[in-house]
């Protein structure tokens, strides 16, 4: 029943148009399996000695046809596929889908669920920036920060596991609120984590940010001007590092983001170090948000009453959320049936990746790793 | 700018535009014919739409009305003036063709390659319209409603 | 090797004889383990170097197993080699798609013998959440390469991956991995 | 002072008495070869385990502790597995060079062992141009790396080999210059004389400012010469998967892996001999009582203690610093280390002539 033979015997036939082109030029495959691509991104790089002439990404090595699959899943089921897309901000992805369904059905989410949702989003953002910080340092050759980053990430994972039941792909958001209430000692554990985390951020600064080798490797590398950032459709920390106001929590505030006071981090340099600084400072902002919310979680029920089978009315709905990587757009076109007619996920990584070729021209291979590290690419989010 | 002002500007530039305000943002119906000048006006004109954040395609063949219709959907917004519009273009399903916008918005280059591969829409004057995601020997356009793949697709 | 040694080995192999897929009929008796292969199996099981190969979400759980809290470096696995030549075990952490299958097969061919495969996560076992209505997912990694240990879960907990690696160690020590059975010429 | 000289002399006399001279010489060489290979085997096991334990300590984790008591047999298991692994040779590779490269790198590491004084009177070959011999032979290993990079017909290994070629050749300059500054102070090239000249105190303390500058430059240059982070561009994990030994597997890779750790031991031994007085106990000028107490510790312990301290230092670098880019690496050598070490050499000769050292 399966084209097994076709796969096994043509293992030689990989779409590698890696043959050498001009004189002195070397075409190398930073192939689907490579430590720095953190996943299965295949880059065909044309080199002149060590300097890069052209970077050509080949995608699809983790294309799981999510959009085709979602056309046959009900409005409650398709939400949890998205936490497998950008698995580092799975809460925020589910949140985006739930918002879109609620916008379609005009469901009013109770205030307690709104605050819990924002708390979970910000904790996921901290965990995602932690992992990015560790992986970025490892790409530039420093192996130790990775383990410090995972020490904090494990504390957040334990908090999540206690409330949502899972560590990485927490299927916790439901159209209308959250699946069940928070765990009794959730607040205490989050407060302990905030206490511990404040001192740790300064430790990160002098371990990596203050390191002269790290600064030399990232300052002035991969400069993205403001117009280019907008034209390439970059969003999230990548665009904010070039001075573009694109924080969805500020532009189109959803849930309780308008009641919470935090500021949008903007840098103007637009190089890798600016992108790095934006994310590290965002950690502090997320901690500020969690601190303001953790003490005044309003009581009330955590889930609005919804019918068992949800049917969105005929029409199209679009909701935008700010994930750790940028602006995730969920675009549902429904024909009034129980399953969506068409779903499009506007993935932040896809547009950020389109700027990679423009950014890395003329740099060395070592710089390509620094640029890819600061773009914070999650490949299943790009391929969907 | 409110929807009214947007509508006046757009009718000035594209008289044949049809508006629909049921959704959250103003929907503009345009034809593939006078597409390129309209898009250039959108970018450089008073609306100053410099951020194309979503470009996708919908195959209406499963619905009773849109038997032979493939709609391209473009979401534009302006980072300066913060207004958003959705532009839709109806294409004939047997031979879908439209001018590329990748020379105006660089993000469209990858988005259009993805739509070309999954829907089969030909983008004219696209710098390198090649496969991006699917395997080289993949036949058919998977996201079309009438796509059948008995080997891989296990129906629920 | 006297007879009872064979019998409990045979019972050992039949007890976990539930190899997924085709079971291998041993002609006339159990596996003859001489003392030298014992030592070599001990060495091979205690220094399994994984290949840095993670396609999607299970890769993050594999990273947290490598981190300090779950720490699989206690068993000597932390030397994660980036090239298939020097790796012993390939942990398929994540979904295998049609475009990735030939790459995975080539990686498996490039690895030096003896090599083992661990399928981590529901996607690697059977396509997981992407089983129905997907045109591009390989429904299970054992369509592409022979797998020794399967870990259910989406993503499996770090302890599950540690348990799987320890199971792989026991299989190597008892000489029951597919590789060993195919390679060793079994005398009756 | 307890010395191993008595043992080596008694063996030598016994050999010459029972066999004719040529046979005795062959036997002697056989014994020395066995001792050297035995030393390498033990060193390989100890240093790899030490590296993993030091790395684990710095990364708040436990490190190997399940294989044997507290993880002692971990490297034994690794080596035995690597020996039993299939040694692949890619079909596009240049077979002869591909298989020769690991041995060239290994031999280069072994050759440098000859003049190093392990303990008082315990030296394989005390030639009077010891330092010149060391710096000459230590540059042979780069040939092996270039051979490996070229022969394995793989773009990553070619890039890795080119990088490490440029790196080792340029860092030998400042390493050589810092060694010469000690030779100027001690007045002789032979290792035993240099150690003897540190009778009243190690050069690091006696040579005050210029010796410290030379020591710092030596440590930096030597970390680069053995391709260790933050200069590990040859096998940059995240850029070139595994650099020049991408295509090697099984025993050939084990030789590269072992040669890297033997090189660390060798360069740290040279550093300890030149700057910290090799097996010479810590003597402070005219404090007879203190010096006398220090002599009770056997000289081989002094030597191994200093060398392992330097090895720990180099391992410490690896787990703290990110990696330099290739042009920053060469800039650092040609624009900073070389001028400083040249000026330092001038400073040392002035101090040596005027006799301003302790």
């Amino acid at each position: 029943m399966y084209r097994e033979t076709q796969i096994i015997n043509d293992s030689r036939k990989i779409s590698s148009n890696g043959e050498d082109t001009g004189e002195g030029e070397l075409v190398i495959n930073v192939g689907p399996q490579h430590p720095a691509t953190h996943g299965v991104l295949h880059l065909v790089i044309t080199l002149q000695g060590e300097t890069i002439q052209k970077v050509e990404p080949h995608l699809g090595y983790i294309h799981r046809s999510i959009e085709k699959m979602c056309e046959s899943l009900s409005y409650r089921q398709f939400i949890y596929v998205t936490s497998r897309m950008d698995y580092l901000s799975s809460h925020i992805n589910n949140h985006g889908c739930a918002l879109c369904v609620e916008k379609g059905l005009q469901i009013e989410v109770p205030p307690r669920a709104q605050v819990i949702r924002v708390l979970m989003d910000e904790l996921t953002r901290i965990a995602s920036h932690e992992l990015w910080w560790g992986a970025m340092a490892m790409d530039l050759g420093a192996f130790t920060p990775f383990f410090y980053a995972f020490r904090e990430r494990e504390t957040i994972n334990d908090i999540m596991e206690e409330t949502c039941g899972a560590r990485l792909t927490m299927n916790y958001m439901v159209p209308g609120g959250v699946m069940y209430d928070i765990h009794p000692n959730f607040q205490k554990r989050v407060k302990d984590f905030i206490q511990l985390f404040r001192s740790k951020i300064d430790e990160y600064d002098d371990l990596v940010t203050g390191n002269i080798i790290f600064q030399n490797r990232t300052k002035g590398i991969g400069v993205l001007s403001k117009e280019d950032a907008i034209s390439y459709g970059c969003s999230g920390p990548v665009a904010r590092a070039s001075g573009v106001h694109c924080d969805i929590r500020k532009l189109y505030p959803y849930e309780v983001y308008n009641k919470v006071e935090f500021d949008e981090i903007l840098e103007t340099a637009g190089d890798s170090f600016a992108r790095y600084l934006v994310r590290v400072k965002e950690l502090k902002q997320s901690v500020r948000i969690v601190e303001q919310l953790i003490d005044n979680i309003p009581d009330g029920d955590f889930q609005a009453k919804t019918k068992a089978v949800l049917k969105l009315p005929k029409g199209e709905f679009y909701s935008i959320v700010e994930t750790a990587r940028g602006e995730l757009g969920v675009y549902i076109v429904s024909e009034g049936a129980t399953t969506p007619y068409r779903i499009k996920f506007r993935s932040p990584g896809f547009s950020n990746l389109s700027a990679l070729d423009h950014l890395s021209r003329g740099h060395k291979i070592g710089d390509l790793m620094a640029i890819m590290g600061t773009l914070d690419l999650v490949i299943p989010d790009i391929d969907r | 700018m409110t929807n009214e002002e947007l509508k006046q500007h757009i009718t000035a530039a594209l008289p044949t535009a049809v508006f629909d305000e049921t959704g959250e943002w103003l929907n503009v119906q345009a034809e593939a014919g006078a597409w390129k000048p309209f898009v250039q006006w959108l970018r450089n004109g008073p609306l100053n739409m410099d951020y194309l954040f979503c470009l996708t395609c919908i195959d209406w063949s499963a619905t009773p009305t849109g038997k032979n219709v493939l709609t391209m959907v473009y979401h534009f917004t302006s980072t300066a003036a913060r207004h958003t519009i959705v532009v839709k273009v109806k294409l004939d399903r047997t031979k879908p063709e439209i001018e590329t916008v990748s020379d105006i918005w660089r993000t469209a280059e990858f988005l259009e390659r993805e739509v070309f591969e999954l829907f089969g829409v030909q983008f004219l004057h696209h710098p390198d319209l090649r496969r991006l995601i699917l395997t080289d020997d993949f036949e058919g356009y998977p996201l079309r409603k009438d796509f059948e793949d008995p080997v891989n697709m296990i129906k629920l | 090797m006297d007879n009872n040694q064979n019998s409990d080995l045979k019972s050992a192999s039949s007890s976990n004889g539930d190899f997924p897929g085709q079971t291998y009929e041993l002609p006339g008796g159990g596996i003859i383990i001489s003392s030298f292969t014992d030592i070599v199996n001990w060495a091979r099981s205690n220094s399994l170097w994984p290949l840095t190969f993670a396609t999607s979400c299970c890769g993050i759980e594999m990273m947290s197993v490598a981190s300090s809290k779950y720490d699989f470096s206690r068993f000597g696995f932390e030397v994660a080699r980036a090239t298939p030549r020097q790796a012993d075990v390939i942990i398929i952490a994540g979904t295998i798609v049609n475009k990735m299958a030939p790459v995975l097969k080539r990686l498996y061919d490039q690895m030096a013998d003896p090599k083992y495969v661990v399928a981590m996560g529901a996607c690697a076992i059977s396509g997981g959440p992407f089983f129905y209505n997907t045109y591009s997912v390989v429904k299970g990694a054992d369509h592409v390469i022979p797998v020794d240990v399967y870990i259910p879960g989406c993503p499996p907990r770090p302890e599950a991956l540690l348990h799987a690696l320890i199971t792989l160690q026991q299989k190597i020590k008892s000489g029951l991995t597919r590789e060993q059975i195919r390679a060793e010429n079994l005398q009756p | 002072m307890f010395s191993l000289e008595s043992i080596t002399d008694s063996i030598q006399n016994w050999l010459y008495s029972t066999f004719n001279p040529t046979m005795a010489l062959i036997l002697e060489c056989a014994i020395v070869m066995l001792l050297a290979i035995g030393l390498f085997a033990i060193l390989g096991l100890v240093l790899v385990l030490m590296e993993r334990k030091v790395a684990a300590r710095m990364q708040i984790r436990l490190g190997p502790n399940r294989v044997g008591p507290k993880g002692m047999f971990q490297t034994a298991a690794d080596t035995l597995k690597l020996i039993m692994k299939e040694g692949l040779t890619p079909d596009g590779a240049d077979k002869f060079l591909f298989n020769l490269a690991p041995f060239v790198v290994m031999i280069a590491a072994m050759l440098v062992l000859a003049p190093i004084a392990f303990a008082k009177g315990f030296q394989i070959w005390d030639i009077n141009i010891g330092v010149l011999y060391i710096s000459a032979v230590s540059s042979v290993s780069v040939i092996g790396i270039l051979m490996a990079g070229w022969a394995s017909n793989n773009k990553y290994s070619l890039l890795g080999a080119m990088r490490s070629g440029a790196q080792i050749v340029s860092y030998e300059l400042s390493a050589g210059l810092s060694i010469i500054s000690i030779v100027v102070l001690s007045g002789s090239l032979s290792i035993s004389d240099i150690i003897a000249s540190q009778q009243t105190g190690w050069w690091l303390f006696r040579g005050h400012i210029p010796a410290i500058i030379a020591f710092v430059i030596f440590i930096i240059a030597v970390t680069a010469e053995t391709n260790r982070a933050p200069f590990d561009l040859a096998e940059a994990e995240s850029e070139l998967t595994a650099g020049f030994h991408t295509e090697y597997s099984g025993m050939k890779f084990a030789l590269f892996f072992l040669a890297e750790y033997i090189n660390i031991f060798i360069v740290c031994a040279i550093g300890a001999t030149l700057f910290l007085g090799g097996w010479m106990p810590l003597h402070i000028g005219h404090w007879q009582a203190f010096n006398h107490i220090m002599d009770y510790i056997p000289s081989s312990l002094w030597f191994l203690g200093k060398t392992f301290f330097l090895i720990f230092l180099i391992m410490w670098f690896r787990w703290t610093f990110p990696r330099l880019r290739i042009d920053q690496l060469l800039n650092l050598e040609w624009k900073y280390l070389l001028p400083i070490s040249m000026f330092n050499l001038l400073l040392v000769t002035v101090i040596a002539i005027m006799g301003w050292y302790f």
Side-chain angles (χ1 to χ4, degrees):
Chain A
M1 86 62 179
Y2 180 63
R3 296 182 293 174
E4 200 165 323
T5 48
Q6 182 259 339
I7 287 201
I8 303 291
N9 52 34
D10 70 355
S11 66
R12 287 278 158 253
K13 189 188 67 50
I14 292 167
S15 67
S16 67
N17 39 31
E19 67 292 337
D20 295 351
T21 46
E23 37 72 35
E25 273 191 6
L26 186 69
V27 178
I28 65 168
N29 283 316
V30 176
Q33 182 263 333
H34 187 83
T37 50
H38 293 290
V40 277
L41 177 67
H42 176 202
L43 299 174
V44 177
I45 304 173
T46 322
L47 288 174
Q48 185 77 33
E50 280 259 352
T51 41
I52 297 170
Q53 309 282 54
K54 182 163 74 80
V55 173
E56 200 195 315
H58 287 250
L59 307 175
Y61 289 91
I62 190 76
H63 172 62
R64 303 182 278 201
S65 54
I66 285 178
E67 283 168 6
K68 181 78 180 178
M69 193 168 92
C70 285
E71 282 167 10
S72 60
L73 292 176
S74 84
Y75 282 110
R76 286 189 186 277
Q77 289 169 329
F78 89 94
I79 293 175
Y80 307 120
V81 173
T82 52
S83 54
R84 271 83 185 162
M85 248 173 31
D86 181 354
Y87 40 77
L88 286 179
S89 33
S90 48
H91 262 302
I92 311 172
N93 286 5
N94 297 355
H95 193 175
C97 298
L99 274 178
C100 199
V101 172
E102 281 146 17
K103 189 182 280 187
L105 296 167
Q106 266 95 35
I107 304 169
E108 182 49 38
V109 181
R112 182 178 177 81
Q114 290 190 358
V115 170
I116 294 176
R117 278 180 167 181
V118 169
L119 271 172
M120 288 299 178
D121 281 5
E122 289 314 316
L123 283 174
T124 317
R125 198 188 310 281
I126 295 175
S128 164
H129 282 335
E130 283 296 320
L131 189 127
W132 155 79
W133 179 77
M136 160 113 191
M138 186 181 251
D139 282 355
L140 292 182
F143 297 100
T144 314
F146 180 82
F147 292 90
Y148 292 164
F150 262 82
R151 174 184 56 192
E152 269 67 59
R153 222 185 111 78
E154 289 300 333
T155 3
I156 296 182
N157 280 350
D158 293 347
I159 296 171
M160 293 288 184
E161 195 181 0
E162 201 174 34
T163 307
C164 321
R167 290 165 45 89
L168 187 67
T169 51
M170 294 74 80
N171 312 332
Y172 185 56
M173 307 258 180
V174 177
V178 279
M179 202 167 271
Y180 12 73
D181 210 345
I182 49 174
H183 194 272
N185 49 28
F186 171 79
Q187 285 179 312
K188 190 181 76 54
R189 287 188 75 158
V190 170
K191 277 189 221 145
D192 298 348
F193 169 71
I194 297 292
Q195 222 56 38
L196 168 107
F197 191 61
R198 278 211 180 288
S199 64
K200 288 295 183 279
I201 294 186
D202 317 331
E203 185 186 300
Y204 294 164
D205 275 350
D206 48 42
L207 185 62
V208 175
T209 321
N211 187 314
I212 184 74
I213 298 179
F214 181 79
Q215 283 173 8
N216 286 347
R217 283 290 303 269
T218 46
K219 275 208 167 108
I221 308 289
V223 180
L224 185 65
S225 68
K226 185 168 181 178
E227 295 70 32
D228 282 346
I230 296 170
S231 156
Y232 275 104
C234 299
S235 57
V238 174
R240 284 198 284 280
S242 314
V244 178
H245 284 280
C246 66
D247 192 337
I248 305 300
R249 300 173 293 177
K250 285 283 181 191
L251 298 179
Y252 313 98
Y254 48 97
E255 305 288 11
V256 284
Y257 276 115
N258 39 21
K259 304 196 192 65
V260 171
E261 173 234 307
F262 69 101
D263 38 33
E264 180 185 12
I265 309 287
L266 278 181
E267 293 279 339
T268 50
D271 59 1
S272 299
F273 194 66
R275 287 190 282 271
Y276 171 86
L277 279 184
V278 165
R279 286 200 184 87
V280 171
K281 285 183 186 153
E282 261 182 15
L283 280 175
K284 294 194 178 76
Q285 294 311 316
S286 296
V287 167
R288 240 175 101 196
I289 296 174
V290 170
E291 228 162 22
Q292 288 167 35
L293 286 177
I294 195 66
D295 285 333
N296 34 46
I297 300 179
D299 16 335
D301 53 8
F302 50 84
Q303 194 184 36
K305 285 281 160 297
T306 51
K307 292 196 293 301
V309 178
L310 303 176
K311 273 201 176 110
L312 257 65
K314 193 165 160 29
E316 53 176 43
F317 311 96
Y318 196 100
S319 80
I320 318 175
V321 271
E322 177 71 24
T323 71
R325 256 138 226 86
E327 169 199 324
L328 172 78
V330 181
Y331 174 56
I332 299 182
V333 175
S334 100
E335 285 290 294
T338 60
T339 63
Y341 184 77
R342 164 85 168 105
I343 283 190
K344 158 79 180 172
F345 295 107
R346 190 265 180 200
S347 117
F350 194 75
S351 313
N352 293 350
L353 176 74
S354 56
L356 180 65
D357 179 35
H358 165 72
L359 285 177
S360 57
R361 292 246 163 135
H363 287 294
K364 307 238 172 329
I365 300 178
D367 302 333
L368 178 70
M369 298 312 153
I371 295 167
M372 271 209 309
T374 47
L375 287 182
D376 192 3
L377 301 169
V378 172
I379 317 298
D381 175 46
I382 294 171
D383 287 350
R384 286 179 308 278
Chain B
M1 281 200 254
T2 64
N3 278 358
E4 298 324 318
E5 286 153 11
L6 286 176
K7 277 210 279 194
Q8 275 132 28
H9 278 289
I10 293 173
T11 39
L14 188 69
T16 63
V18 171
F19 297 102
D20 153 26
E21 297 199 50
T22 53
E24 187 189 354
W25 295 310
L26 171 70
N27 282 11
V28 179
Q29 204 74 39
E31 290 86 23
W35 172 242
K36 197 70 178 179
F38 174 64
V39 168
Q40 257 135 15
W41 173 81
L42 268 182
R43 175 71 182 84
N44 314 324
L47 266 67
N48 184 10
M49 293 290 181
D50 51 3
Y51 188 52
L52 162 67
F53 58 93
C54 182
L55 179 153
T56 185
C57 180
I58 305 166
D59 172 12
W60 294 101
S61 61
T63 58
T65 58
K67 228 355 144 225
N68 187 357
V69 167
L70 207 60
T71 323
M72 287 296 299
V73 183
Y74 295 78
H75 287 74
F76 294 109
T77 186
S78 146
T79 46
R82 280 288 143 232
H83 48 251
T84 314
I85 60 167
V86 180
V87 179
K88 294 192 176 165
V89 182
K90 275 197 170 49
L91 303 176
D92 152 29
R93 198 161 177 282
T94 50
K95 199 171 155 319
E97 262 182 4
I98 189 168
E99 279 292 322
T100 177
V101 292
S102 58
D103 45 356
I104 307 165
W105 293 279
R106 302 300 303 273
T107 182
E109 195 183 331
F110 271 28
L111 291 166
E112 282 175 353
R113 276 173 72 181
E114 184 197 7
V115 169
F116 158 71
E117 212 176 359
L118 300 179
F119 281 91
V121 175
Q122 286 296 336
F123 290 91
L124 312 172
H125 317 302
H126 188 281
D128 65 346
L129 204 58
R130 271 185 295 109
R131 276 202 186 279
L132 183 67
I133 289 182
L134 295 172
T135 52
D136 291 351
D137 56 359
F138 195 92
E139 323 91 33
Y141 303 113
L143 276 185
R144 285 196 177 187
K145 285 295 176 184
D146 57 1
F147 173 73
E148 279 314 316
D149 179 358
V151 175
N152 286 335
M153 288 269 275
I154 299 156
K155 282 278 177 287
L156 189 59
Chain C
M1 275 315 198
D2 50 23
N3 215 347
N4 56 27
Q5 179 71 19
N6 279 358
S7 57
D8 58 26
L9 269 181
K10 210 155 101 63
S11 61
S13 68
S14 61
S15 68
N16 48 19
D18 44 8
F19 280 122
Q22 192 247 350
T23 58
Y24 192 88
E25 207 36 61
L26 310 182
I31 300 133
I32 304 299
I33 297 280
S34 66
S35 60
F36 178 65
T37 36
D38 252 351
I39 299 163
V40 167
N41 282 346
W42 168 81
R44 281 186 185 143
S45 66
N46 279 325
S47 93
L48 288 166
W49 291 357
L51 177 74
T52 46
F53 176 83
T55 50
S56 56
C57 356
C58 288
I60 302 296
E61 285 300 81
M62 197 163 84
M63 280 193 214
S64 57
V65 165
S67 71
S68 358
K69 185 172 180 191
Y70 296 99
D71 193 7
F72 65 3
S73 75
R74 289 170 290 146
F75 304 92
F77 298 147
E78 99 275 19
V79 186
R81 299 304 305 171
T83 77
R85 300 283 190 215
Q86 292 137 22
D88 300 326
V89 61
I90 181 167
I91 300 177
I92 307 171
T95 325
I96 297 299
V97 239
N98 283 343
K99 199 171 181 181
M100 192 65 192
V103 178
L104 177 64
K105 183 73 179 79
R106 174 181 275 200
L107 278 176
Y108 182 73
D109 296 342
Q110 280 174 343
M111 281 165 74
D113 283 328
K115 49 196 170 193
Y116 313 101
V117 177
V118 172
M120 175 178 180
C123 294
I125 295 175
S126 69
F130 308 102
F131 188 78
Y132 290 108
N133 294 336
T134 51
Y135 50 84
S136 65
V137 173
V138 174
K139 310 294 190 281
D142 41 19
H143 288 293
V144 185
I145 45 177
V147 173
D148 284 311
V149 179
Y150 294 86
I151 318 171
C154 178
R157 281 191 56 81
E159 289 91 346
L161 178 59
L162 280 177
H163 174 66
L165 290 173
I166 294 163
T167 326
L168 181 63
Q169 281 186 327
Q170 275 147 17
K171 278 185 93 167
I172 296 168
K173 279 190 183 126
S174 62
L176 290 175
T177 55
R178 288 169 188 258
E179 193 74 27
Q180 283 159 323
I181 289 187
R182 198 180 308 120
E184 260 80 23
N185 38 32
L186 307 167
Q187 304 85 9
Chain D
M1 179 144 52
F2 171 75
S3 100
L4 297 168
E5 224 160 346
S6 52
I7 303 168
T8 46
D9 293 350
S10 61
I11 293 174
Q12 192 161 17
N13 303 344
W14 175 74
L15 271 177
Y16 276 101
S17 58
T18 48
F19 302 95
N20 56 49
T22 52
M23 188 54 179
L25 192 63
I26 294 162
L27 272 180
E28 217 170 46
C29 290
I31 293 171
V32 163
M33 205 177 57
L34 276 177
L35 280 178
I37 290 171
L39 172 76
F40 278 152
I42 299 159
L43 264 183
L45 300 182
V46 166
L47 285 181
V48 171
L49 187 65
M50 175 181 172
E51 164 108 79
R52 286 168 81 161
K53 283 283 184 184
V54 161
R57 186 74 190 82
M58 286 183 194
Q59 290 167 355
I60 45 171
R61 53 187 172 87
L62 287 178
N65 59 6
R66 286 297 161 85
V67 188
K70 290 184 76 58
M72 290 307 152
F73 298 155
Q74 179 58 52
T75 27
D78 282 349
T79 335
L80 184 56
K81 178 213 79 176
L82 278 174
I83 291 168
M84 295 305 291
K85 207 137 170 66
E86 173 203 7
L88 289 166
T89 309
D91 46 18
D94 177 338
K95 300 272 180 304
F96 174 67
L97 283 184
F98 186 79
N99 296 327
L100 185 65
F103 296 104
V104 166
V105 173
M106 200 61 206
I107 291 163
M110 277 190 179
L111 283 179
V112 186
L113 196 64
I116 292 177
F118 286 87
K120 183 169 169 46
F122 198 72
Q123 206 175 359
I124 298 175
W125 184 33
D126 182 9
I127 49 175
N128 49 24
I129 49 157
V131 167
L132 182 65
Y133 170 87
I134 287 174
S135 48
V137 166
S138 68
S139 59
V140 167
S141 67
V142 78
I143 299 168
I145 291 174
L146 287 172
M147 239 195 253
W150 172 256
S152 42
N153 184 21
N154 171 333
K155 287 174 183 158
Y156 285 140
S157 34
L158 186 65
L159 276 173
M162 289 309 145
R163 282 185 180 182
S164 91
Q167 175 182 330
I168 292 178
V169 160
S170 49
Y171 273 89
E172 250 158 39
L173 288 173
S174 43
L177 282 175
S178 56
I179 289 175
I180 292 168
S181 54
I182 292 302
V183 167
V184 158
L185 279 174
S186 65
S188 129
L189 274 172
S190 104
I191 297 286
S192 48
D193 296 355
I194 292 175
I195 294 176
S197 69
Q198 300 182 41
Q199 174 76 20
T200 56
W202 301 342
W203 278 121
L204 193 60
F205 308 126
R206 284 181 57 198
H208 48 82
I209 298 149
I212 290 167
I213 296 173
F215 180 67
V216 166
I217 291 175
F218 180 80
I219 290 293
I220 295 172
V222 136
T223 325
E225 222 167 285
T226 51
N227 286 335
R228 294 271 308 173
F231 309 100
D232 64 348
L233 282 124
E235 75 261 354
E237 240 245 334
S238 58
E239 286 148 27
L240 304 171
T241 61
F244 59 90
H245 47 72
T246 310
E247 293 295 340
Y248 283 86
S249 76
M251 193 54 204
K252 287 177 270 204
F253 169 67
L255 280 177
F256 272 117
F257 200 63
L258 199 61
E260 186 199 340
Y261 285 102
I262 302 297
N263 273 337
I264 300 169
F265 175 79
I266 297 286
V267 291
C268 290
I270 298 165
T273 316
L274 295 178
F275 293 95
L276 302 173
W279 49 264
M280 183 61 68
L282 177 63
H283 287 168
I284 299 171
H286 40 72
W287 294 1
Q288 287 320 334
F290 175 79
N291 293 351
H292 193 57
I293 297 161
M294 281 299 140
D295 290 347
Y296 275 113
I297 304 168
S299 55
S300 51
L301 272 188
W302 276 107
F303 172 74
L304 287 177
K306 293 172 199 166
T307 314
F308 274 88
F309 168 70
L310 286 182
I311 290 175
F312 173 73
L313 206 65
I314 287 188
M315 283 182 183
W316 196 351
F317 289 162
R318 175 170 189 181
W319 302 110
T320 35
F321 291 115
R323 188 177 298 123
L324 276 169
R325 221 184 29 221
I326 183 73
D327 51 340
Q328 291 164 345
L329 177 92
L330 297 177
N331 278 350
L332 172 71
E333 159 58 24
W334 293 98
K335 290 194 183 129
Y336 297 98
L337 288 190
L338 199 55
I340 297 172
S341 44
M342 278 185 188
F343 171 73
N344 185 27
L345 188 60
L346 195 67
L347 196 67
V348 163
T349 33
V350 162
I351 287 174
I353 295 162
M354 308 296 280
W356 286 338
Y357 54 91
F358 295 111

